[in-house]
PDB file of all heavy atoms in Angstrom:
ATOM      1  N   ARG A   1     156.016 142.313 182.753  1.00 68.00           N
ATOM      2  CA  ARG A   1     155.169 143.416 183.208  1.00 68.00           C
ATOM      3  C   ARG A   1     155.011 143.253 184.729  1.00 68.00           C
ATOM      4  O   ARG A   1     154.640 142.209 185.184  1.00 68.00           O
ATOM      5  CB  ARG A   1     153.806 143.292 182.486  1.00 68.00           C
ATOM      6  CG  ARG A   1     152.912 144.367 182.850  1.00 68.00           C
ATOM      7  CD  ARG A   1     151.645 144.326 181.978  1.00 68.00           C
ATOM      8  NE  ARG A   1     150.635 145.213 182.520  1.00 68.00           N
ATOM      9  CZ  ARG A   1     149.533 144.788 183.093  1.00 68.00           C
ATOM     10  NH1 ARG A   1     149.249 143.505 183.130  1.00 68.00           N
ATOM     11  NH2 ARG A   1     148.682 145.600 183.600  1.00 68.00           N
ATOM     12  N   ARG A   2     155.298 144.330 185.402  1.00 74.00           N
ATOM     13  CA  ARG A   2     155.199 144.284 186.859  1.00 74.00           C
ATOM     14  C   ARG A   2     153.867 144.822 187.280  1.00 74.00           C
ATOM     15  O   ARG A   2     153.541 145.998 187.070  1.00 74.00           O
ATOM     16  CB  ARG A   2     156.309 145.140 187.490  1.00 74.00           C
ATOM     17  CG  ARG A   2     157.684 144.538 187.194  1.00 74.00           C
ATOM     18  CD  ARG A   2     158.744 145.494 187.725  1.00 74.00           C
ATOM     19  NE  ARG A   2     158.725 146.692 186.934  1.00 74.00           N
ATOM     20  CZ  ARG A   2     159.685 147.559 186.846  1.00 74.00           C
ATOM     21  NH1 ARG A   2     160.784 147.386 187.527  1.00 74.00           N
ATOM     22  NH2 ARG A   2     159.611 148.628 186.117  1.00 74.00           N
ATOM     23  N   VAL A   3     153.053 143.956 187.876  1.00 82.00           N
ATOM     24  CA  VAL A   3     151.780 144.368 188.423  1.00 82.00           C
ATOM     25  C   VAL A   3     151.776 144.121 189.916  1.00 82.00           C
ATOM     26  O   VAL A   3     152.149 143.016 190.373  1.00 82.00           O
ATOM     27  CB  VAL A   3     150.637 143.570 187.778  1.00 82.00           C
ATOM     28  CG1 VAL A   3     149.316 143.931 188.395  1.00 82.00           C
ATOM     29  CG2 VAL A   3     150.597 143.783 186.321  1.00 82.00           C
ATOM     30  N   TYR A   4     151.440 145.140 190.666  1.00 89.00           N
ATOM     31  CA  TYR A   4     151.466 145.038 192.123  1.00 89.00           C
ATOM     32  C   TYR A   4     150.012 145.045 192.647  1.00 89.00           C
ATOM     33  O   TYR A   4     149.346 146.008 192.537  1.00 89.00           O
ATOM     34  CB  TYR A   4     152.281 146.170 192.736  1.00 89.00           C
ATOM     35  CG  TYR A   4     153.718 146.112 192.316  1.00 89.00           C
ATOM     36  CD1 TYR A   4     154.167 146.877 191.251  1.00 89.00           C
ATOM     37  CD2 TYR A   4     154.598 145.227 192.917  1.00 89.00           C
ATOM     38  CE1 TYR A   4     155.497 146.803 190.863  1.00 89.00           C
ATOM     39  CE2 TYR A   4     155.910 145.140 192.493  1.00 89.00           C
ATOM     40  CZ  TYR A   4     156.349 145.905 191.445  1.00 89.00           C
ATOM     41  OH  TYR A   4     157.672 145.825 191.046  1.00 89.00           O
ATOM     42  N   ALA A   5     149.652 143.918 193.231  1.00 89.00           N
ATOM     43  CA  ALA A   5     148.265 143.797 193.719  1.00 89.00           C
ATOM     44  C   ALA A   5     148.119 144.585 195.002  1.00 89.00           C
ATOM     45  O   ALA A   5     149.095 144.902 195.694  1.00 89.00           O
ATOM     46  CB  ALA A   5     147.983 142.314 194.017  1.00 89.00           C
ATOM     47  N   THR A   6     146.866 144.854 195.326  1.00 90.00           N
ATOM     48  CA  THR A   6     146.528 145.545 196.583  1.00 90.00           C
ATOM     49  C   THR A   6     146.926 144.594 197.734  1.00 90.00           C
ATOM     50  O   THR A   6     146.904 143.387 197.616  1.00 90.00           O
ATOM     51  CB  THR A   6     145.072 145.910 196.684  1.00 90.00           C
ATOM     52  OG1 THR A   6     144.299 144.726 196.674  1.00 90.00           O
ATOM     53  CG2 THR A   6     144.677 146.805 195.521  1.00 90.00           C
ATOM     54  N   PRO A   7     147.150 145.163 198.904  1.00 90.00           N
ATOM     55  CA  PRO A   7     147.415 144.282 200.084  1.00 90.00           C
ATOM     56  C   PRO A   7     146.271 143.334 200.354  1.00 90.00           C
ATOM     57  O   PRO A   7     146.507 142.160 200.753  1.00 90.00           O
ATOM     58  CB  PRO A   7     147.587 145.304 201.234  1.00 90.00           C
ATOM     59  CG  PRO A   7     148.057 146.565 200.584  1.00 90.00           C
ATOM     60  CD  PRO A   7     147.343 146.585 199.238  1.00 90.00           C
ATOM     61  N   GLU A   8     145.069 143.724 200.132  1.00 89.00           N
ATOM     62  CA  GLU A   8     143.932 142.838 200.347  1.00 89.00           C
ATOM     63  C   GLU A   8     143.965 141.628 199.392  1.00 89.00           C
ATOM     64  O   GLU A   8     143.652 140.498 199.807  1.00 89.00           O
ATOM     65  CB  GLU A   8     142.603 143.650 200.174  1.00 89.00           C
ATOM     66  CG  GLU A   8     142.377 144.724 201.206  1.00 89.00           C
ATOM     67  CD  GLU A   8     143.127 146.011 200.894  1.00 89.00           C
ATOM     68  OE1 GLU A   8     143.626 146.215 199.795  1.00 89.00           O
ATOM     69  OE2 GLU A   8     143.250 146.827 201.824  1.00 89.00           O
ATOM     70  N   ALA A   9     144.341 141.871 198.171  1.00 87.00           N
ATOM     71  CA  ALA A   9     144.423 140.792 197.154  1.00 87.00           C
ATOM     72  C   ALA A   9     145.517 139.818 197.512  1.00 87.00           C
ATOM     73  O   ALA A   9     145.414 138.635 197.402  1.00 87.00           O
ATOM     74  CB  ALA A   9     144.581 141.332 195.778  1.00 87.00           C
ATOM     75  N   VAL A  10     146.657 140.389 197.998  1.00 87.00           N
ATOM     76  CA  VAL A  10     147.771 139.505 198.404  1.00 87.00           C
ATOM     77  C   VAL A  10     147.369 138.681 199.598  1.00 87.00           C
ATOM     78  O   VAL A  10     147.640 137.463 199.681  1.00 87.00           O
ATOM     79  CB  VAL A  10     149.021 140.402 198.748  1.00 87.00           C
ATOM     80  CG1 VAL A  10     150.117 139.536 199.335  1.00 87.00           C
ATOM     81  CG2 VAL A  10     149.506 141.112 197.508  1.00 87.00           C
ATOM     82  N   ALA A  11     146.717 139.295 200.578  1.00 89.00           N
ATOM     83  CA  ALA A  11     146.253 138.553 201.753  1.00 89.00           C
ATOM     84  C   ALA A  11     145.233 137.457 201.380  1.00 89.00           C
ATOM     85  O   ALA A  11     145.302 136.330 201.921  1.00 89.00           O
ATOM     86  CB  ALA A  11     145.607 139.517 202.789  1.00 89.00           C
ATOM     87  N   ALA A  12     144.330 137.733 200.451  1.00 87.00           N
ATOM     88  CA  ALA A  12     143.371 136.730 200.003  1.00 87.00           C
ATOM     89  C   ALA A  12     144.071 135.552 199.314  1.00 87.00           C
ATOM     90  O   ALA A  12     143.699 134.386 199.530  1.00 87.00           O
ATOM     91  CB  ALA A  12     142.336 137.363 199.062  1.00 87.00           C
ATOM     92  N   ALA A  13     145.073 135.853 198.470  1.00 86.00           N
ATOM     93  CA  ALA A  13     145.829 134.797 197.824  1.00 86.00           C
ATOM     94  C   ALA A  13     146.609 133.952 198.852  1.00 86.00           C
ATOM     95  O   ALA A  13     146.629 132.743 198.742  1.00 86.00           O
ATOM     96  CB  ALA A  13     146.811 135.427 196.823  1.00 86.00           C
ATOM     97  N   ALA A  14     147.225 134.637 199.811  1.00 89.00           N
ATOM     98  CA  ALA A  14     147.946 133.879 200.832  1.00 89.00           C
ATOM     99  C   ALA A  14     147.018 133.009 201.667  1.00 89.00           C
ATOM    100  O   ALA A  14     147.338 131.849 201.960  1.00 89.00           O
ATOM    101  CB  ALA A  14     148.691 134.865 201.768  1.00 89.00           C
ATOM    102  N   ASP A  15     145.834 133.498 201.992  1.00 91.00           N
ATOM    103  CA  ASP A  15     144.828 132.729 202.733  1.00 91.00           C
ATOM    104  C   ASP A  15     144.441 131.502 201.939  1.00 91.00           C
ATOM    105  O   ASP A  15     144.337 130.400 202.484  1.00 91.00           O
ATOM    106  CB  ASP A  15     143.621 133.618 203.051  1.00 91.00           C
ATOM    107  CG  ASP A  15     142.653 132.910 203.949  1.00 91.00           C
ATOM    108  OD1 ASP A  15     142.990 132.596 205.123  1.00 91.00           O
ATOM    109  OD2 ASP A  15     141.525 132.641 203.466  1.00 91.00           O
ATOM    110  N   SER A  16     144.234 131.688 200.669  1.00 89.00           N
ATOM    111  CA  SER A  16     143.833 130.607 199.817  1.00 89.00           C
ATOM    112  C   SER A  16     144.918 129.539 199.739  1.00 89.00           C
ATOM    113  O   SER A  16     144.671 128.329 199.809  1.00 89.00           O
ATOM    114  CB  SER A  16     143.523 131.110 198.399  1.00 89.00           C
ATOM    115  OG  SER A  16     143.161 130.073 197.555  1.00 89.00           O
ATOM    116  N   ILE A  17     146.172 129.940 199.614  1.00 90.00           N
ATOM    117  CA  ILE A  17     147.298 129.016 199.576  1.00 90.00           C
ATOM    118  C   ILE A  17     147.374 128.210 200.870  1.00 90.00           C
ATOM    119  O   ILE A  17     147.596 127.018 200.845  1.00 90.00           O
ATOM    120  CB  ILE A  17     148.613 129.774 199.256  1.00 90.00           C
ATOM    121  CG1 ILE A  17     148.601 130.271 197.837  1.00 90.00           C
ATOM    122  CG2 ILE A  17     149.842 128.842 199.496  1.00 90.00           C
ATOM    123  CD1 ILE A  17     149.738 131.246 197.518  1.00 90.00           C
ATOM    124  N   VAL A  18     147.238 128.882 202.008  1.00 92.00           N
ATOM    125  CA  VAL A  18     147.327 128.241 203.283  1.00 92.00           C
ATOM    126  C   VAL A  18     146.187 127.214 203.453  1.00 92.00           C
ATOM    127  O   VAL A  18     146.390 126.110 203.951  1.00 92.00           O
ATOM    128  CB  VAL A  18     147.333 129.278 204.415  1.00 92.00           C
ATOM    129  CG1 VAL A  18     147.130 128.576 205.797  1.00 92.00           C
ATOM    130  CG2 VAL A  18     148.652 130.066 204.426  1.00 92.00           C
ATOM    131  N   HIS A  19     144.991 127.624 203.062  1.00 91.00           N
ATOM    132  CA  HIS A  19     143.830 126.794 203.365  1.00 91.00           C
ATOM    133  C   HIS A  19     143.519 125.706 202.335  1.00 91.00           C
ATOM    134  O   HIS A  19     143.018 124.652 202.659  1.00 91.00           O
ATOM    135  CB  HIS A  19     142.571 127.626 203.605  1.00 91.00           C
ATOM    136  CG  HIS A  19     142.658 128.344 204.919  1.00 91.00           C
ATOM    137  ND1 HIS A  19     143.109 129.677 205.039  1.00 91.00           N
ATOM    138  CD2 HIS A  19     142.399 127.934 206.179  1.00 91.00           C
ATOM    139  CE1 HIS A  19     143.067 130.020 206.307  1.00 91.00           C
ATOM    140  NE2 HIS A  19     142.703 129.012 207.023  1.00 91.00           N
ATOM    141  N   ILE A  20     143.811 125.964 201.035  1.00 89.00           N
ATOM    142  CA  ILE A  20     143.476 124.973 200.048  1.00 89.00           C
ATOM    143  C   ILE A  20     144.727 124.503 199.240  1.00 89.00           C
ATOM    144  O   ILE A  20     144.614 123.691 198.338  1.00 89.00           O
ATOM    145  CB  ILE A  20     142.342 125.401 199.100  1.00 89.00           C
ATOM    146  CG1 ILE A  20     142.754 126.613 198.263  1.00 89.00           C
ATOM    147  CG2 ILE A  20     141.073 125.662 199.891  1.00 89.00           C
ATOM    148  CD1 ILE A  20     141.758 127.014 197.206  1.00 89.00           C
ATOM    149  N   GLY A  21     145.857 125.058 199.536  1.00 88.00           N
ATOM    150  CA  GLY A  21     147.101 124.639 198.933  1.00 88.00           C
ATOM    151  C   GLY A  21     147.404 125.259 197.560  1.00 88.00           C
ATOM    152  O   GLY A  21     148.346 124.909 196.910  1.00 88.00           O
ATOM    153  N   ARG A  22     146.596 126.194 197.133  1.00 83.00           N
ATOM    154  CA  ARG A  22     146.820 126.878 195.874  1.00 83.00           C
ATOM    155  C   ARG A  22     146.099 128.212 195.866  1.00 83.00           C
ATOM    156  O   ARG A  22     145.112 128.390 196.649  1.00 83.00           O
ATOM    157  CB  ARG A  22     146.419 126.079 194.664  1.00 83.00           C
ATOM    158  CG  ARG A  22     144.932 125.715 194.642  1.00 83.00           C
ATOM    159  CD  ARG A  22     144.589 124.831 193.458  1.00 83.00           C
ATOM    160  NE  ARG A  22     143.260 124.288 193.567  1.00 83.00           N
ATOM    161  CZ  ARG A  22     142.118 124.985 193.242  1.00 83.00           C
ATOM    162  NH1 ARG A  22     142.235 126.179 192.760  1.00 83.00           N
ATOM    163  NH2 ARG A  22     140.968 124.411 193.378  1.00 83.00           N
ATOM    164  N   SER A  23     146.511 129.091 195.020  1.00 75.00           N
ATOM    165  CA  SER A  23     145.800 130.389 194.971  1.00 75.00           C
ATOM    166  C   SER A  23     144.628 130.285 193.987  1.00 75.00           C
ATOM    167  O   SER A  23     144.616 129.370 193.162  1.00 75.00           O
ATOM    168  CB  SER A  23     146.754 131.510 194.526  1.00 75.00           C
ATOM    169  OG  SER A  23     147.232 131.244 193.215  1.00 75.00           O
ATOM    170  N   SER A  24     143.706 131.140 194.154  1.00 71.00           N
ATOM    171  CA  SER A  24     142.541 131.104 193.265  1.00 71.00           C
ATOM    172  C   SER A  24     142.926 131.541 191.854  1.00 71.00           C
ATOM    173  O   SER A  24     143.913 132.247 191.672  1.00 71.00           O
ATOM    174  CB  SER A  24     141.423 131.991 193.769  1.00 71.00           C
ATOM    175  OG  SER A  24     141.829 133.334 193.729  1.00 71.00           O
ATOM    176  N   ALA A  25     142.196 131.120 190.880  1.00 68.00           N
ATOM    177  CA  ALA A  25     142.497 131.465 189.519  1.00 68.00           C
ATOM    178  C   ALA A  25     141.939 132.822 189.090  1.00 68.00           C
ATOM    179  O   ALA A  25     142.147 133.248 187.969  1.00 68.00           O
ATOM    180  CB  ALA A  25     142.026 130.376 188.561  1.00 68.00           C
ATOM    181  N   GLU A  26     141.213 133.437 189.977  1.00 68.00           N
ATOM    182  CA  GLU A  26     140.546 134.688 189.620  1.00 68.00           C
ATOM    183  C   GLU A  26     141.572 135.798 189.436  1.00 68.00           C
ATOM    184  O   GLU A  26     142.557 135.891 190.172  1.00 68.00           O
ATOM    185  CB  GLU A  26     139.447 135.069 190.597  1.00 68.00           C
ATOM    186  CG  GLU A  26     139.922 135.924 191.779  1.00 68.00           C
ATOM    187  CD  GLU A  26     138.839 136.240 192.780  1.00 68.00           C
ATOM    188  OE1 GLU A  26     138.093 135.331 193.131  1.00 68.00           O
ATOM    189  OE2 GLU A  26     138.736 137.412 193.118  1.00 68.00           O
ATOM    190  N   ALA A  27     141.326 136.605 188.439  1.00 66.00           N
ATOM    191  CA  ALA A  27     142.195 137.755 188.142  1.00 66.00           C
ATOM    192  C   ALA A  27     141.842 138.927 189.015  1.00 66.00           C
ATOM    193  O   ALA A  27     140.658 139.183 189.338  1.00 66.00           O
ATOM    194  CB  ALA A  27     142.138 138.116 186.688  1.00 66.00           C
ATOM    195  N   HIS A  28     142.804 139.737 189.408  1.00 66.00           N
ATOM    196  CA  HIS A  28     142.548 140.909 190.194  1.00 66.00           C
ATOM    197  C   HIS A  28     142.881 142.138 189.295  1.00 66.00           C
ATOM    198  O   HIS A  28     143.994 142.274 188.836  1.00 66.00           O
ATOM    199  CB  HIS A  28     143.414 140.939 191.434  1.00 66.00           C
ATOM    200  CG  HIS A  28     143.135 139.775 192.324  1.00 66.00           C
ATOM    201  ND1 HIS A  28     142.040 139.726 193.148  1.00 66.00           N
ATOM    202  CD2 HIS A  28     143.794 138.589 192.512  1.00 66.00           C
ATOM    203  CE1 HIS A  28     142.031 138.587 193.796  1.00 66.00           C
ATOM    204  NE2 HIS A  28     143.100 137.877 193.424  1.00 66.00           N
ATOM    205  N   ASP A  29     141.908 142.963 189.077  1.00 72.00           N
ATOM    206  CA  ASP A  29     142.056 144.107 188.205  1.00 72.00           C
ATOM    207  C   ASP A  29     142.611 145.315 188.887  1.00 72.00           C
ATOM    208  O   ASP A  29     143.217 146.183 188.278  1.00 72.00           O
ATOM    209  CB  ASP A  29     140.696 144.461 187.556  1.00 72.00           C
ATOM    210  CG  ASP A  29     140.225 143.420 186.624  1.00 72.00           C
ATOM    211  OD1 ASP A  29     141.089 142.733 186.003  1.00 72.00           O
ATOM    212  OD2 ASP A  29     139.022 143.271 186.460  1.00 72.00           O
ATOM    213  N   GLU A  30     142.443 145.396 190.212  1.00 83.00           N
ATOM    214  CA  GLU A  30     142.868 146.563 190.953  1.00 83.00           C
ATOM    215  C   GLU A  30     144.347 146.457 191.284  1.00 83.00           C
ATOM    216  O   GLU A  30     144.840 145.430 191.756  1.00 83.00           O
ATOM    217  CB  GLU A  30     142.052 146.695 192.224  1.00 83.00           C
ATOM    218  CG  GLU A  30     142.300 147.981 192.963  1.00 83.00           C
ATOM    219  CD  GLU A  30     141.419 148.117 194.205  1.00 83.00           C
ATOM    220  OE1 GLU A  30     140.536 147.269 194.415  1.00 83.00           O
ATOM    221  OE2 GLU A  30     141.651 149.057 194.950  1.00 83.00           O
ATOM    222  N   GLU A  31     145.082 147.548 191.053  1.00 90.00           N
ATOM    223  CA  GLU A  31     146.475 147.593 191.370  1.00 90.00           C
ATOM    224  C   GLU A  31     146.717 148.489 192.570  1.00 90.00           C
ATOM    225  O   GLU A  31     145.972 149.438 192.785  1.00 90.00           O
ATOM    226  CB  GLU A  31     147.309 148.073 190.184  1.00 90.00           C
ATOM    227  CG  GLU A  31     148.752 147.960 190.426  1.00 90.00           C
ATOM    228  CD  GLU A  31     149.605 148.249 189.201  1.00 90.00           C
ATOM    229  OE1 GLU A  31     149.484 149.332 188.638  1.00 90.00           O
ATOM    230  OE2 GLU A  31     150.396 147.386 188.832  1.00 90.00           O
ATOM    231  N   TRP A  32     147.720 148.165 193.337  1.00 92.00           N
ATOM    232  CA  TRP A  32     148.099 148.917 194.541  1.00 92.00           C
ATOM    233  C   TRP A  32     148.374 150.379 194.122  1.00 92.00           C
ATOM    234  O   TRP A  32     149.113 150.649 193.155  1.00 92.00           O
ATOM    235  CB  TRP A  32     149.312 148.288 195.166  1.00 92.00           C
ATOM    236  CG  TRP A  32     149.767 148.877 196.439  1.00 92.00           C
ATOM    237  CD1 TRP A  32     149.029 149.215 197.528  1.00 92.00           C
ATOM    238  CD2 TRP A  32     151.116 149.112 196.820  1.00 92.00           C
ATOM    239  NE1 TRP A  32     149.831 149.674 198.531  1.00 92.00           N
ATOM    240  CE2 TRP A  32     151.122 149.622 198.135  1.00 92.00           C
ATOM    241  CE3 TRP A  32     152.356 148.959 196.166  1.00 92.00           C
ATOM    242  CZ2 TRP A  32     152.284 149.979 198.804  1.00 92.00           C
ATOM    243  CZ3 TRP A  32     153.470 149.288 196.858  1.00 92.00           C
ATOM    244  CH2 TRP A  32     153.457 149.782 198.130  1.00 92.00           C
ATOM    245  N   PRO A  33     147.853 151.366 194.832  1.00 94.00           N
ATOM    246  CA  PRO A  33     148.024 152.763 194.459  1.00 94.00           C
ATOM    247  C   PRO A  33     149.500 153.220 194.474  1.00 94.00           C
ATOM    248  O   PRO A  33     149.854 154.157 193.766  1.00 94.00           O
ATOM    249  CB  PRO A  33     147.220 153.561 195.519  1.00 94.00           C
ATOM    250  CG  PRO A  33     146.192 152.622 195.978  1.00 94.00           C
ATOM    251  CD  PRO A  33     146.858 151.253 195.916  1.00 94.00           C
ATOM    252  N   GLN A  34     150.357 152.550 195.213  1.00 94.00           N
ATOM    253  CA  GLN A  34     151.771 152.949 195.280  1.00 94.00           C
ATOM    254  C   GLN A  34     152.641 152.225 194.216  1.00 94.00           C
ATOM    255  O   GLN A  34     153.853 152.395 194.225  1.00 94.00           O
ATOM    256  CB  GLN A  34     152.334 152.629 196.670  1.00 94.00           C
ATOM    257  CG  GLN A  34     151.601 153.311 197.804  1.00 94.00           C
ATOM    258  CD  GLN A  34     151.635 154.821 197.670  1.00 94.00           C
ATOM    259  OE1 GLN A  34     152.663 155.377 197.310  1.00 94.00           O
ATOM    260  NE2 GLN A  34     150.572 155.474 197.974  1.00 94.00           N
ATOM    261  N   ALA A  35     152.017 151.509 193.301  1.00 92.00           N
ATOM    262  CA  ALA A  35     152.757 150.735 192.320  1.00 92.00           C
ATOM    263  C   ALA A  35     153.688 151.569 191.437  1.00 92.00           C
ATOM    264  O   ALA A  35     154.809 151.158 191.155  1.00 92.00           O
ATOM    265  CB  ALA A  35     151.792 149.951 191.458  1.00 92.00           C
ATOM    266  N   ASP A  36     153.199 152.723 191.069  1.00 92.00           N
ATOM    267  CA  ASP A  36     154.078 153.596 190.197  1.00 92.00           C
ATOM    268  C   ASP A  36     155.335 154.047 190.918  1.00 92.00           C
ATOM    269  O   ASP A  36     156.444 154.084 190.347  1.00 92.00           O
ATOM    270  CB  ASP A  36     153.319 154.814 189.720  1.00 92.00           C
ATOM    271  CG  ASP A  36     152.260 154.441 188.642  1.00 92.00           C
ATOM    272  OD1 ASP A  36     152.431 153.408 188.006  1.00 92.00           O
ATOM    273  OD2 ASP A  36     151.307 155.229 188.469  1.00 92.00           O
ATOM    274  N   ALA A  37     155.242 154.315 192.236  1.00 94.00           N
ATOM    275  CA  ALA A  37     156.401 154.714 193.008  1.00 94.00           C
ATOM    276  C   ALA A  37     157.375 153.559 193.128  1.00 94.00           C
ATOM    277  O   ALA A  37     158.616 153.725 193.083  1.00 94.00           O
ATOM    278  CB  ALA A  37     155.977 155.178 194.404  1.00 94.00           C
TER     279      ALA A  37
END
């Protein structure tokens, strides 16, 4: 299943990886509006 996160969620995950070495375990319910395209 392809789920495309919002740019904000991707940036938050990247920030978490850079600062603590892993992404957070929290789920993101919002999908990027351009995902269908």
Side-chain angles (χ1 to χ4, degrees):
R1 183 172 167 250
R2 295 174 293 199
V3 177
Y4 298 97
T6 63
E8 295 80 14
V10 172
D15 186 65
S16 180
I17 290 169
V18 167
H19 289 97
I20 63 172
R22 61 184 170 81
S23 62
S24 66
E26 91 181 45
H28 299 282
D29 294 329
E30 187 178 353
E31 187 172 57
W32 185 44
Q34 301 300 320
D36 288 337

